[in-house]
Amino acid sequence: MKTATRASEAPEVLNRAVHVWLCRLEPASIASLARSSRTVLSEDERERADRIRRESQRQMFEVAHALVRQGLSVYADVDETDWSFDTNQWGRPEIAGPAHAPPFTFSLSHTHGLVACAISVGIECGVDVENFARGGQPLRVARRVLSEREFADLERQPVETKLDRLLEYWTLKEAYLKARGVGMSVAMQDVSFALDERGIRLVAVDSEATSGPDAWSFTSARPTPSHMLALALGPPDGPSRTVMMREGLPRDPAG
Ligand SMILES: CC(C)(COP(=O)(O)OP(=O)(O)OC[C@H]1O[C@@H](n2cnc3c(N)ncnc32)[C@H](O)[C@@H]1OP(=O)(O)O)[C@@H](O)C(=O)NCCC(=O)NCCS
């Protein structure tokens, strides 16, 4: 009989907080980390990984999904291999089992060099990370993803900070849409933020939104020199939660 890994922290630590687990993907260690991460994945997750042709993307996927499992098991007496997941109609993963698991909410994001997983209880949360060295010409797509107001603000930025500003808007929008679980079914342009001396404010939302901008709070950070991260915390009491960033995989899957 398998015995559950004992939770190292009580689930109640998440009643007032959101923990964001960050795992850097270093070229020297990614292969072995992905190999050991794979051992805790479900068959379905391993099959999904196997369908990813590019090795670096596949390794990132394996580490990301191990991070979700291990992160959740920090707060519940559930073995990392025993979590099961469903997805909502727009693809958001949600916990399906085991039945005795606390009502955790989580959000996952992965990009070249970094994986992030936000975990909380009872609120909507969404995380997004992007790499500054992302391919293509991100500033070219600004018109397509930014609202009029955001685009005007971007145009006012000096050339050396334009990319930072664009990625800040971009990650905030994705984090917010991921927290709602709707993903890219909502046009990014229909969601608008203001970034100024008053901080980060959500100033316009699409017609499908069921809660107003004030129900939300946002954090923007640069967890590494190459990455931008945004976190969105929503109803019912996201704005009163504190945010804690935590580094590394909670446990070496090979250990
Ligand atoms: C969710 C979405 C915003 C992801 O953004 P991204 O920056 O490309 O990727 P990230 O690494 O930040 O996030 C991916 C993770 O978000 C999660 N996710 C997927 N759909 C989600 C949704 N509707 N809501 C919240 N989270 C979602 C998953 O955990 C996914 O990781 P996985 O595929 O390894 O399981 C976006 O890709 C999306 O909406 N996808 C679903 C629909 C789609 O592909 N439409 C085509 C758009 S043109």
Side-chain angles (χ1 to χ4, degrees):
M1 195 181 82
K2 197 160 66 172
T3 48
T5 313
R6 287 200 65 80
S8 53
E9 294 171 33
E12 289 74 28
V13 300
L14 297 176
N15 286 349
R16 292 176 190 283
V18 173
H19 289 189
V20 183
W21 287 89
L22 298 169
C23 183
R24 294 184 197 220
L25 307 174
E26 308 288 357
S29 53
I30 175 84
S32 67
L33 191 59
R35 234 184 345 266
S36 52
S37 292
R38 197 176 160 88
T39 63
V40 306
L41 302 187
S42 66
E43 207 178 309
D44 176 57
E45 287 165 334
R46 283 199 289 267
E47 281 172 11
R48 280 185 68 196
D50 291 341
R51 287 198 292 272
I52 303 172
R53 298 178 76 164
R54 191 183 290 180
E55 186 179 45
S56 61
Q57 301 269 340
R58 188 169 62 246
Q59 291 168 334
M60 185 167 76
F61 178 95
E62 289 166 340
V63 176
H65 288 263
L67 180 64
V68 172
R69 289 174 170 278
Q70 292 201 349
L72 293 170
S73 289
V74 166
Y75 315 98
D77 287 334
V78 175
D79 193 87
E80 59 206 356
T81 58
D82 285 344
W83 296 101
S84 60
F85 305 96
D86 271 339
T87 51
N88 77 356
Q89 65 185 113
W90 297 288
R92 171 170 68 188
E94 296 166 349
I95 295 169
H100 66 273
F104 293 134
T105 52
F106 72 94
S107 178
L108 176 65
S109 185
H110 31 63
T111 189
H112 185 69
L114 187 70
V115 173
C117 177
I119 303 178
S120 195
V121 169
I123 59 161
E124 298 180 28
C125 67
V127 71
D128 189 55
V129 285
E130 297 290 341
N131 190 310
F132 283 99
R134 75 205 309 278
Q137 292 187 298
L139 287 166
R140 279 229 180 134
V141 301
R143 267 232 185 268
R144 251 188 322 113
V145 299
L146 300 187
S147 66
E148 289 290 326
R149 174 198 180 107
E150 292 166 337
F151 191 77
D153 174 51
L154 186 69
E155 292 213 297
R156 285 194 298 273
Q157 301 304 311
V159 67
E160 61 276 15
T161 61
K162 270 195 200 306
L163 183 59
D164 287 40
R165 185 52 70 109
L166 172 63
L167 286 192
E168 190 168 7
Y169 280 128
W170 188 308
T171 52
L172 284 165
K173 285 161 182 272
E174 285 215 355
Y176 169 68
L177 295 174
K178 287 172 82 175
R180 280 175 48 194
V182 295
M184 291 299 127
S185 68
V186 169
M188 283 172 96
Q189 273 185 327
D190 292 350
V191 171
S192 189
F193 284 88
L195 303 176
D196 53 30
E197 60 291 340
R198 291 162 66 190
I200 303 169
R201 286 174 299 126
L202 179 60
V203 291
V205 292
D206 56 286
S207 57
E208 301 292 313
T210 53
S211 48
D214 292 347
W216 293 86
S217 73
F218 300 92
T219 302
S220 190
R222 290 184 68 155
T224 83
S226 327
H227 295 95
M228 181 72 85
L229 175 148
L231 178 71
L233 305 178
D237 62 353
S240 68
R241 305 279 174 122
T242 56
V243 176
M244 188 194 281
M245 302 280 178
R246 309 187 63 166
E247 280 266 353
L249 275 181
R251 196 175 74 73
D252 177 356

